[in-house]
Amino acid sequence: DEERAKDYDLRREVINQTYQYALKQGDKNVYFIDGATIYPKEVRYDCTVDEAHPTELGFYYFAKKIYSILKKIGLN
């Protein structure tokens, strides 16, 4: 619903601002993974039980996204 979407957008913005602040302060070991980009749109509703808590498929996409970041920074 629209209210929930606004709340998520606000939370994402606060987290992104915190991330940007850390980068400006020189933190080179901080990473931002936008939760809105974890699930492919075509299977988005199959990835959660209640649009919040992941199913097995949701956890698969979480792992895939996090692994790609870890690989990029050399922690694989």
Side-chain angles (χ1 to χ4, degrees), residues 24-63:
K24 286 177 187 171
Q25 296 300 307
D27 191 339
K28 295 187 183 346
N29 291 312
V30 62
Y31 304 91
F32 177 72
I33 300 173
D34 187 348
T37 66
I38 292 176
Y39 306 137
K41 289 181 183 185
E42 60 274 5
V43 294
R44 178 182 206 94
Y45 294 105
D46 296 327
C47 290
T48 66
V49 176
D50 55 4
E51 296 184 30
H53 297 90
T55 61
E56 289 85 355
L57 183 61
F59 280 116
Y60 165 77
Y61 282 110
F62 262 90

